[in-house]
Amino acid sequence: MTPFRLLLVEDSANDAALVTAELVQAGYQPTTRRVESLESLREALASDAWDLVLCDYRLPRFSALDVLAVLQEVGRDVPLIVLSSLLSEEQAVTLMKAGARDCFSKDRLARLGPAVARELEETRVRRERARAEVDREILARASEMLTASLEQEARLDQLVQLLVPKVADWSAFFVQDLERGGLRMAALAHPDPARRTLAMQLNQRHPLDPQAAGGPVSVLRTGLPELVPDVRQRPHAPVADAAAYLRGVEALGLRSVVNAPLPGREGALGVLSLGTLGERTLGPVDLALAQELARRAGLAMENARLFQEAREAVRLRDEFLTVAAHELRTPLTTLRLQLGTLLQRSESHHLEPEVVTRLERSVRQVRRLGTLVEGLLDVSQLSSGELSLMPERFDLEELVAEVLERYQAEARAAGCELRQSARQGLWGTWDRLRVDQAVAALISNALKFGPGRPVEVDVGRAGGFARIQVRDRGIGVPVDQVERIFERFGRAVSSHSYGGLGLGLYLTRRAAEAHGGRAWAEPGQAEGARFTLELPLEKETRD
């Protein structure tokens, strides 16, 4: 026997009995409700889901055409077959044009079985296609919601609203309560505010039983989904007070439930619950959709957790760098002053050349440490906001010459010759300290990666920009690394082979961008690399 739900619009109890008997003889087991008015028809369509409507052609106060109009008005996809004791061909054509699926006389009920079989199958296929389209739409919108925000509670609330009423009559998310243990309801959607409030109250008064053999807690513990077609026949209540659970089921009108775990790296993070009211039930298709939604939600929650952990780790790192840099500043300043004093006295005390050389090396190393410390402070400042600038007017070529003069000793140690293009004067308004740091980083980088080879520095104009280009003939930069080396702590080679923190080029680019310029690198045509720093010129200078 094939069960289906039949809505019979018929004013004759005898005719209704004949139709039911014919369906049973044809191998069907209809759950039937008979209505005799349009008001009862609307109420039946609103309260339950139907597979088929059988309608007499003419009733005392309305006709089958009025029934078709009501079906179209409420938007229910329910096929209608018209039965009549006397039906003309013209009337049958009118009914079919209006949306009836079939029409035939009551004295030919033998046709009813095959007609019902055809309509039930076509409806099943049509509804499956429509449901598949709804599922695709829901999954697409869910993916958009999950990637639009990292705020967990807001996303879960949007997701449960998405599922009602297309998939279920109510939907809820339960997540782990890290403070008190167990599960807590994080989001709940229900079209009826009164029932939603009642569900929240029941959840507070009767929390889920941690040892329950069924329900959200069991799904969280086992990681296995749960489908309960009829909660009234559930063998194990999900709360400790079974009587209270049954009263709540009755008060809410619960019928069918699906629970799907939200998977995480170390176990389930929560549970997605779907439920229906009245005679509407959930099945395997709904369970599959809930599992896919739960999988996506769990992945988004896991990503959000990892993002928060990474952000906290970065915050702690930046805080440590700031504290460490400030603590290093004082002893480095003292050490630099002491070494400078010793160098000054070495000229009058005629110290041995070896001692003077070691003092000069020590000064260079202290200066290098100072540069690293200032770089750490700049990185910490960038983490909390934009790089601050203190503009002043100066000659860019003169500043570059000063930087090259400071690096002469380091260049000699590296076996490099520093070459600067002919100076003609290039004035502009920039932050002198930031530009000095940027140029120094480019020079230091060239000496580090191109020892024993000359380093060429060219200063000139390019349209409305002042351009500084530093070219070395060292190991070069791979094409796929020209952007990475400008990232914070980014490097194209191992830190064991070449020192540094990977901050110089990062600060160079940020300084350029803070001025409205840019910085980039290009692999050399034969060997080495060329680094370019562009800074905007003043309008009157460009003119």
Side-chain angles (χ1 to χ4, degrees), residues 245-292:
Y245 169 73
L246 293 176
R247 289 194 300 270
V249 167
E250 182 178 355
L252 291 173
L254 295 179
R255 174 64 184 274
S256 190
V257 171
V258 160
N259 291 309
L262 277 61
R265 290 193 307 171
E266 300 178 358
L269 303 173
V271 175
L272 168 61
S273 291
L274 305 179
T276 59
L277 309 175
E279 298 300 324
R280 182 181 181 183
T281 60
L282 298 173
V285 174
D286 305 290
L287 177 61
L289 175 63
Q291 286 182 276
E292 179 59 24

Side-chain angles (χ1 to χ4, degrees), residues 225-470:
E226 178 186 47
L227 169 60
V228 184
D230 193 339
V231 296
R232 296 169 297 184
Q233 301 176 5
R234 194 175 207 159
H236 304 287
V239 300
D241 189 343
Y245 169 73
L246 293 176
R247 289 194 300 270
V249 167
E250 182 178 355
L252 291 173
L254 295 179
R255 174 64 184 274
S256 190
V257 171
V258 160
N259 291 309
L262 277 61
R265 290 193 307 171
E266 300 178 358
L269 303 173
V271 175
L272 168 61
S273 291
L274 305 179
T276 59
L277 309 175
E279 298 300 324
R280 182 181 181 183
T281 60
L282 298 173
V285 174
D286 305 290
L287 177 61
L289 175 63
Q291 286 182 276
E292 179 59 24
L293 281 173
R295 185 189 68 80
R296 299 188 185 194
L299 179 61
M301 291 174 63
E302 189 73 28
N303 289 340
R305 183 183 65 81
L306 294 175
F307 175 79
Q308 294 295 339
E309 291 179 357
R311 186 162 62 178
E312 178 64 14
V314 170
R315 186 191 67 80
L316 292 174
R317 183 195 65 189
D318 290 341
E319 184 177 308
F320 168 77
L321 292 178
T322 302
V323 173
H326 278 292
E327 290 296 323
L328 288 172
R329 255 181 167 179
T330 301
L332 282 176
T333 301
T334 303
L335 183 57
R336 185 168 60 248
L337 291 174
Q338 294 293 337
L339 290 173
T341 301
L342 289 175
L343 272 177
Q344 291 175 357
R345 292 182 178 180
S346 67
E347 297 177 359
S348 60
H349 289 72
H350 304 289
L351 296 178
E352 297 180 6
E354 182 181 354
V355 175
V356 175
T357 300
R358 291 186 177 183
L359 283 174
E360 291 176 344
R361 289 177 179 173
S362 298
V363 169
R364 289 198 301 269
Q365 293 302 320
V366 170
R367 186 183 298 123
R368 183 185 177 196
L369 282 174
T371 301
L372 293 176
V373 168
E374 294 302 322
L376 291 177
L377 285 174
D378 286 339
V379 169
S380 301
Q381 181 182 0
L382 285 169
S383 299
S384 58
E386 291 297 323
L387 195 64
S388 60
L389 298 179
M390 298 180 63
E392 60 178 290
R393 186 171 173 78
F394 61 89
D395 184 351
L396 185 60
E397 288 184 327
E398 180 182 341
L399 180 141
V400 171
E402 292 176 1
V403 175
L404 291 177
E405 179 62 29
R406 290 205 311 267
Y407 276 88
Q408 286 298 332
E410 187 172 334
R412 287 193 297 270
C416 296
E417 178 187 358
L418 293 176
R419 302 172 182 172
Q420 182 178 358
S421 58
R423 294 169 57 181
Q424 299 177 355
L426 184 56
W427 288 77
T429 301
W430 307 287
D431 185 309
R432 188 182 188 95
L433 175 61
R434 299 300 179 191
V435 176
D436 186 295
Q437 288 177 331
V439 175
L442 296 181
I443 300 299
S444 175
N445 188 75
L447 295 176
K448 180 192 303 183
F449 294 104
R453 305 288 185 88
V455 174
E456 299 174 356
V457 182
D458 179 67
V459 183
R461 299 186 185 186
F465 292 86
R467 175 177 288 180
I468 303 170
Q469 290 187 322
V470 178

Side-chain angles (χ1 to χ4, degrees), residues 6-9 19 23 52-56 81 83 112 116:
L6 172 65
L7 183 57
L8 190 57
V9 186
V19 168
L23 290 171
L52 183 68
V53 175
L54 290 179
C55 178
D56 197 349
I81 295 178
L83 305 173
L112 184 58
V116 168

